[in-house]
Amino acid sequence: MIAHTISLSLGESSYPIYVGQQIFSDLTLLLRHIHGKQVFVVTQEKLVPYIALLQAALASYQCDFFYLPDGEQFKTLAQWQKILETLIQNNHERSTTLIAFGGGVVGDITGFAAACYQRGVNYLQIPTTLIAQVDAAIGGKTAVNHPSGKNRIGAFHQPQCVIVDIDLLKTLPEREYVAGLAEVIKYGLIYDTHFFNWLEENRAALLARNTKALLHAVHTSAHIKSQIVSQDERDQDLRNVLNFGHTFGHALEVLGNYQRWLHGEAVAMGMMLATRLSGDLGLLSRQDVTRIVNCLHAYGFASPSVLPPATDILKAMQHDKKVRDGKINFILLTAIGRAEKIATVTKVQLQAVLESDS
Ligand code: GLY
């Protein structure tokens, strides 16, 4: 059942985001967005129980599957090339439709393959993790990683639709589920005070994966993301606010070899640091700093006291895409529900926040 349909408005590239239950293998829904006779599903072995349902729904198509190994370390040009080779071997034509059925890694690499195969073919996003449902699958950012940094090679390529089925989250491992909540909390912090209040009040229900709470959280997050993307598809201005916590977070991911922390865990620590930096710079009240850090702790996110040395983090941040002319642009909070890009943060201020234990 579709509970909500959000429209991501981007002129001719506009598309719907369906949020509901038991919708990922709904043929009527899939039929609206698959136009040729071929489909190519990029997915992962661990999703086999769900894949059987998708395969049954797509029985009348030439349907080929590509299984991507699990982990951020496989979001590479080598795997992307294998996807393209498999498309060619199976004679997929320009009218084919790629389906990204998995988490953020699957979505990003499939989208990038769709952007490049035959100069661009259609694809659908069916995200199976919380983080992909509320963030990665929405907005058309596609990419692979390079040893020098995350998402360094990619393209903007919008999907035909995003099918967000919260029932897929029932079997998500606890650590991955909680990590996804970091991005949900981010939307409250950068864009919507009421949503942040709701997240504080409904923590127990959300952590218990209560259906009503989950539908509200996922729908609100997807709605906020689509509002932001529709105003700034190419990430030139407003979309930058989605990077709140990510400059620190990406540096931590690199230092942890993408294995020590999940993306959401690194972002949660990054949000705590960026919140404290906002307080140190006098942009955010001390009360709000405490309230935000307490909320993140209550959701189970570790305190940044387990960080690598400040000098290593600062060095890793130099490689971030948000570094322009040697300066790091930080997204900081001016209130709960309001974020701004600040270009004047100094190395000394950064060092101070990275070295404080509070
Ligand atoms: N995940 C950040 C963005 O889509 O812009």
Side-chain angles (χ1 to χ4, degrees):
M1 185 200 64
I2 297 172
H4 308 277
T5 302
I6 299 160
S7 174
L8 202 159
S9 310
L10 285 171
E12 282 183 3
S13 308
S14 300
Y15 55 93
I17 301 164
Y18 304 105
V19 181
Q21 293 180 269
Q22 292 181 14
I23 55 172
F24 81 90
S25 57
D26 176 342
L27 184 59
T28 325
L29 191 54
L30 292 166
L31 275 175
R32 282 188 213 165
H33 301 285
I34 299 173
H35 304 302
K37 291 182 173 22
Q38 297 175 306
V39 284
F40 186 91
V41 182
V42 180
T43 188
Q44 292 180 312
E45 294 281 359
K46 65 183 178 187
L47 292 167
V48 159
Y50 297 119
I51 290 168
L53 289 171
L54 192 58
Q55 196 163 21
L58 297 171
S60 60
Y61 291 88
Q62 176 198 327
C63 182
D64 297 299
F65 283 80
F66 181 93
Y67 291 90
L68 190 70
D70 202 9
E72 185 78 34
Q73 67 271 34
F74 295 105
K75 204 173 99 176
T76 57
L77 273 176
Q79 291 294 334
W80 170 82
Q81 188 173 347
K82 278 190 191 171
I83 294 174
L84 297 179
E85 301 280 1
T86 315
L87 279 161
I88 291 166
Q89 276 158 19
N90 290 286
N91 302 312
H92 279 261
E93 296 171 3
R94 279 199 82 185
S95 58
T96 192
T97 301
L98 272 57
I99 298 182
F101 186 59
V105 170
V106 168
D108 284 6
I109 200 167
T110 309
F112 188 40
C116 299
Y117 189 61
Q118 310 247 10
R119 297 201 184 93
V121 296
N122 288 346
Y123 77 111
L124 318 186
Q125 287 277 16
I126 309 183
T128 60
T129 62
L130 180 57
I131 207 151
Q133 292 193 347
V134 298
D135 183 22
I138 302 167
K141 275 190 180 176
T142 75
V144 291
N145 298 330
H146 183 266
S148 65
K150 220 178 142 156
N151 298 332
R152 289 211 116 185
I153 304 163
F156 286 95
H157 187 52
Q158 300 295 342
Q160 297 300 298
C161 73
V162 184
I163 299 176
V164 176
D165 188 332
I166 64 153
D167 283 356
L168 292 166
L169 304 180
K170 282 186 184 149
T171 50
L172 196 64
E174 184 66 7
R175 186 176 167 201
E176 264 190 76
Y177 176 73
V178 174
L181 290 173
E183 296 283 2
V184 174
I185 296 168
K186 181 190 78 178
Y187 290 113
L189 291 174
I190 61 168
Y191 206 75
D192 188 337
T193 320
H194 295 299
F195 186 44
F196 183 76
N197 296 343
W198 182 90
L199 287 165
E200 281 183 320
E201 283 158 21
N202 291 276
R203 175 169 43 88
L206 207 45
L207 285 171
R209 310 188 200 192
N210 167 281
T211 301
K212 200 168 156 226
L214 200 44
L215 267 180
H216 180 72
V218 170
H219 170 234
T220 308
S221 301
H223 181 69
I224 293 173
K225 175 128 191 201
S226 63
Q227 294 248 309
I228 292 173
V229 172
S230 64
Q231 292 172 67
D232 176 27
E233 182 189 8
R234 297 283 161 147
D235 204 2
Q236 301 295 311
D237 185 23
L238 177 66
R239 189 166 176 169
N240 292 180
V241 297
L242 294 170
N243 282 319
F244 177 62
H246 284 60
T247 306
F248 287 122
H250 283 164
L252 292 174
E253 283 187 279
V254 171
L255 292 174
N257 284 326
Y258 298 109
Q259 278 163 17
R260 182 166 172 195
W261 294 290
L262 298 176
H263 176 69
E265 293 168 341
V267 166
M269 284 195 282
M271 290 198 296
M272 287 192 216
L273 291 165
T275 296
R276 292 206 320 233
L277 186 57
S278 309
D280 289 356
L281 297 183
L283 300 167
L284 187 67
S285 73
R286 285 284 157 204
Q287 276 152 304
D288 282 346
V289 172
T290 307
R291 191 176 154 199
I292 294 166
V293 172
N294 286 347
C295 174
L296 288 163
H297 282 157
Y299 268 93
F301 293 109
S303 186
S305 55
V306 291
L307 291 181
T311 42
D312 292 356
I313 300 176
L314 287 173
K315 204 165 149 205
M317 287 195 317
Q318 300 301 322
H319 295 295
D320 198 277
K321 289 195 277 30
K322 290 166 285 301
V323 179
R324 294 217 173 103
D325 307 325
K327 283 196 188 132
I328 297 184
N329 286 312
F330 264 93
I331 303 301
L332 297 176
L333 298 180
T334 52
I336 292 180
R338 209 168 56 230
E340 273 179 31
K341 183 158 71 181
I342 308 289
T344 53
V345 181
T346 66
K347 207 172 155 190
V348 174
Q349 287 163 332
L350 285 178
Q351 197 133 5
V353 88
L354 288 169
E355 285 171 353
S356 85
D357 331 297
S358 53

